[in-house]
Amino acid sequence: MKATGIVRRIDDLGRVVVPKEIRRTLRIREGDPLEIFTDREGEIILKKYSPIGELSVFAKQYADALAQTSGRLVCITDRDQVIAASGGSKKDFLGKEISNQLDSVITEREFITASRDDKKYVKITNDTGEDFAQQTISPIICEGDAIGAVIILDRDGQGEMGEVEQKLASSAAGFLGRQMES
């Protein structure tokens, strides 16, 4: 564990403020759920909770099925990272932090189908050299909250991504959102 040198007092209601610098670094926003752990030494550990992360095994299976059906790379994200990837260069995406641009698309609940040359084209992660000709992005909505996205990527650009890919991504996102609600 890394010390920050920041000390905060608990108020009369039992609350403690997580400093802005730490919230910004860890991408914790107002309303984000935090999971609370304790250990034997009496430490309290706060961890950003990913509701869709609980479905990671299921999301991986869903990504595998979508990739096999579409013949393209499929990524499923929460609001922080890629939690499942299948097809093509999945190792380049799995576990990587999503870009601010993709986070904004998820927050704004935008459905995007774009080619690399379009203004709407979105970089998926900050640290991969993405070279995809086309993409389709559909946000995952659960109980009114945008919690992630289903992304279909095409490296070759052979055949336009269109209505079929949009419907595949949208159906997957809808299904994953409903799974989270139950």
Side-chain angles (χ1 to χ4, degrees):
M1 199 173 328
K2 188 165 72 171
T4 64
I6 300 171
V7 176
R8 294 285 195 237
R9 296 198 182 278
I10 296 176
D11 70 9
D12 58 340
L13 295 176
R15 297 175 297 198
V16 67
V17 174
V18 177
K20 186 176 188 175
E21 300 81 27
I22 293 174
R23 292 192 318 261
R24 186 180 306 127
T25 301
L26 298 177
R27 296 170 75 161
I28 297 172
R29 298 174 264 319
E30 182 181 327
D32 281 353
L34 297 176
E35 208 166 359
I36 303 170
F37 299 91
T38 59
D39 68 7
R40 291 189 173 135
E41 288 84 47
E43 293 177 327
I44 298 172
I45 301 158
L46 299 175
K47 182 179 177 195
K48 191 167 178 183
Y49 175 72
S50 169
I52 200 163
E54 290 187 3
L55 289 178
S56 62
V57 171
F58 181 73
K60 166 78 172 99
Q61 293 170 342
Y62 208 109
D64 287 344
L66 272 178
Q68 193 172 25
T69 301
S70 68
R72 295 185 161 112
L73 173 65
V74 175
C75 296
I76 298 175
T77 74
D78 61 12
R79 294 285 305 274
D80 294 310
Q81 66 180 344
V82 177
I83 62 162
S86 186
S89 53
K90 65 182 180 183
K91 291 178 224 130
D92 294 340
F93 289 92
L94 194 56
K96 300 282 172 82
E97 186 176 301
I98 66 170
S99 70
N100 291 335
Q101 192 180 12
L102 178 58
D103 184 50
S104 177
V105 165
I106 294 169
T107 302
E108 298 298 320
R109 302 163 189 237
E110 293 181 59
F111 292 84
I112 291 179
T113 297
S115 63
R116 183 181 16 230
D117 303 328
D118 290 344
K119 288 181 181 178
K120 295 188 307 184
Y121 190 84
V122 175
K123 190 167 168 118
I124 306 304
T125 65
N126 290 323
D127 57 351
T128 55
E130 299 170 27
D131 187 27
F132 292 91
Q134 300 174 76
Q135 64 183 193
T136 294
I137 302 171
S138 182
I140 300 170
I141 310 297
C142 175
E143 296 178 349
D145 295 326
I147 63 169
V150 174
I151 304 160
I152 300 175
L153 299 165
D154 179 51
R155 186 174 302 274
D156 304 328
Q158 305 209 353
E160 285 288 312
M161 271 208 197
E163 192 175 343
V164 171
E165 288 78 13
Q166 290 169 359
K167 288 187 178 193
L168 278 173
S170 183
S171 295
F175 184 77
L176 290 168
R178 282 188 290 286
Q179 284 297 114
M180 291 304 305
E181 291 172 357
S182 55

